[in-house]
Amino acid sequence: MTRILGIESSCDETAAAVVVNGHDVQSNVVASQVELHRKFGGVVPEIASRAHIECIHNVVRMALEEAKCEPADIDAIAYTCRPGLVGSLLIGATAAKTLGWAWKKPLIAVNHVEAHAVSGSIGVDPAPWPAVALVVSGGHTSLYLVTDFDSVKLLGSTIDDAAGEAFDKVATMLGLGYPGGPVIDRVSASGDPKAHAFPRTLLDSESLDFSFSGLKTAVRYKIHGTGQTTGGLEQLSEKDIADIAASFQQAVVDVLVKKTMRAVAQTGATTVVLGGGVAANRSLRQSLEAECSDRKLAFYAPKMAYCVDNAAMIASLGFHMHAKGQTVAFDGDVCAR
Ligand code: KG4
Ligand code: ZN
């Protein structure tokens, strides 16, 4: 039995989790900073790092308490080393190194995006590889071919906005607040996804890259008009806003599903896994599941708690890395990219 303490602090969630053997999540504590950043309409890096410092100690203590374990029961500490906000990453990494040094535990440096990519495998034994992984978060929209926990090959990614970023920006345009993903998901339920034919940018026909800036501009024009003459948010009814939100969401989902199926065709994979904050989107989960079922592909989406940033996915991937002896020295760096 191997028990890993995971620590995640790459953006605006301070998180710690205790996971046994990569699957048995004994605790998963997340302190969200959303309220601190809401009035700025996005994450303010300096505020994020300060908030991480203030709560990381308590978050780790709560994770140990909930898992009913002592430092002596922990076999190794996994922390997010990249990518993310550098000041935020430093707090989690420093906490992990300090505890590792004091408790004499080995350290595992985990890539946050790779942890999202394999988060759908938590609780799936044997592991579902090989698989095409779609990672959709606030900072990333990428397709990977995962052949093992330490073999995650990039197939394509966004050339401009990430999917979650597009959700957040469109929600701001629609006056729906921050963070945009959950609120667009909710509001879309009462809107018509066919009300507006927003562009589905697929780039050239074989490409596995994404682009959401044209879609974002189309939404802006729909709200404000293309000239000086029409529009404005104040002229839209609740139903208009719900229709725009639902049509925008449908355009994002259509592109994500189509590109994922293109990756399946190009790689010959028979399994699809989903990960990242936008993986919490109900329409995306349902559409991918339906498409996979039509094509007789296996489909794994993470539990809701493992979609947005969390440390269970860091500890879980950390377990598989630890099993392969992939530990790091105490002077390992963090990296924004
Ligand atoms: O993975 P995550 O917590 O952080 C990053 O690694 O970036 O993802 C956060 C993103 C935000 O952009 C948020 O709006 C989006 O995930 N998100 C959603 C939903 N829940 C969170 N997007 C669409 N639908 C949701 N239900
Ligand atoms: Zn993330």
Side-chain angles (χ1 to χ4, degrees):
M1 182 173 86
T2 305
R3 187 181 275 113
I4 308 285
L5 169 66
I7 296 180
E8 154 65 36
S9 69
S10 64
C11 190
D12 61 338
E13 267 93 26
T14 319
V18 173
V19 178
V20 171
N21 293 348
H23 292 294
D24 180 8
V25 180
Q26 302 198 323
S27 64
N28 185 32
V29 177
V30 181
S32 170
Q33 302 176 4
V34 121
E35 290 313 321
L36 293 177
H37 301 289
R38 194 188 296 283
K39 68 173 175 237
F40 303 103
V43 178
V44 183
E46 188 59 21
I47 294 176
S49 351
R50 285 166 193 267
H52 285 307
I53 293 183
E54 280 168 18
C55 70
I56 195 145
H57 186 218
N58 275 338
V59 167
V60 169
R61 190 165 50 203
M62 281 168 70
L64 292 177
E65 274 172 18
E66 273 181 32
K68 297 189 175 45
C69 69
E70 304 283 330
D73 305 322
I74 299 291
D75 294 291
I77 302 173
Y79 66 95
T80 304
C81 67
R82 67 189 307 169
L85 302 170
V86 124
S88 292
L89 287 165
L90 264 177
I91 311 305
T94 306
K97 289 173 186 180
T98 308
L99 295 174
W101 186 76
W103 298 345
K104 299 187 173 47
K105 307 292 175 187
L107 295 178
I108 306 146
V110 176
N111 178 311
H112 179 89
V113 187
E114 292 179 3
H116 274 307
V118 302
S119 61
S121 75
I122 300 175
V124 180
D125 200 10
W129 324 129
V132 162
L134 171 67
V135 178
V136 270
S137 71
H140 302 270
T141 301
S142 306
L143 280 163
Y144 297 92
L145 179 63
V146 183
T147 46
D148 202 346
F149 287 101
D150 59 351
S151 178
V152 179
K153 183 182 156 224
L154 184 67
L155 301 172
S157 60
T158 182
I159 58 168
D160 41 54
D161 289 344
E165 197 180 351
F167 269 92
D168 293 336
K169 288 178 178 169
V170 164
T172 303
M173 285 185 219
L174 288 172
L176 295 172
Y178 171 87
V183 65
I184 289 196
D185 192 344
R186 196 175 64 244
V187 166
S188 293
S190 53
D192 175 6
K194 296 203 177 89
H196 306 287
F198 288 133
R200 272 88 170 139
T201 309
L202 294 170
L203 309 175
D204 69 76
S205 62
E206 291 309 305
S207 167
L208 295 176
D209 290 333
F210 300 87
S211 167
F212 294 107
S213 64
L215 170 60
K216 211 177 54 187
T217 306
V219 172
R220 185 178 291 285
Y221 284 164
K222 185 60 67 186
I223 299 169
H224 296 287
T226 49
Q228 283 90 19
T229 45
T230 53
L233 196 54
E234 52 291 340
Q235 295 180 18
L236 300 179
S237 68
E238 239 176 66
K239 172 71 173 130
D240 293 336
I241 289 176
D243 283 349
I244 294 175
S247 302
F248 158 78
Q249 177 174 276
Q250 189 62 52
V252 175
V253 168
D254 284 354
V255 170
L256 294 174
V257 171
K258 177 118 192 218
K259 294 262 175 178
T260 305
M261 293 308 138
R262 191 181 284 173
V264 165
Q266 288 182 14
T267 58
T270 55
T271 300
V272 171
V273 297
L274 177 63
V278 184
N281 187 269
R282 290 169 295 173
S283 170
L284 176 61
R285 292 170 85 94
Q286 285 159 11
S287 300
L288 260 184
E289 182 158 31
E291 191 70 31
C292 286
S293 149
D294 285 352
R295 293 170 188 245
K296 311 262 176 303
L297 303 168
F299 173 64
Y300 298 97
K303 277 187 178 177
M304 286 298 189
Y306 312 147
C307 291
V308 287
D309 288 347
N310 66 90
M313 68 179 188
I314 304 298
S316 176
L317 178 51
F319 164 80
H320 297 287
M321 293 172 69
H322 181 257
K324 292 191 174 188
Q326 295 165 353
T327 55
V328 291
F330 279 74
D331 59 356
D333 238 334
V334 296
C335 179
R337 297 178 66 89

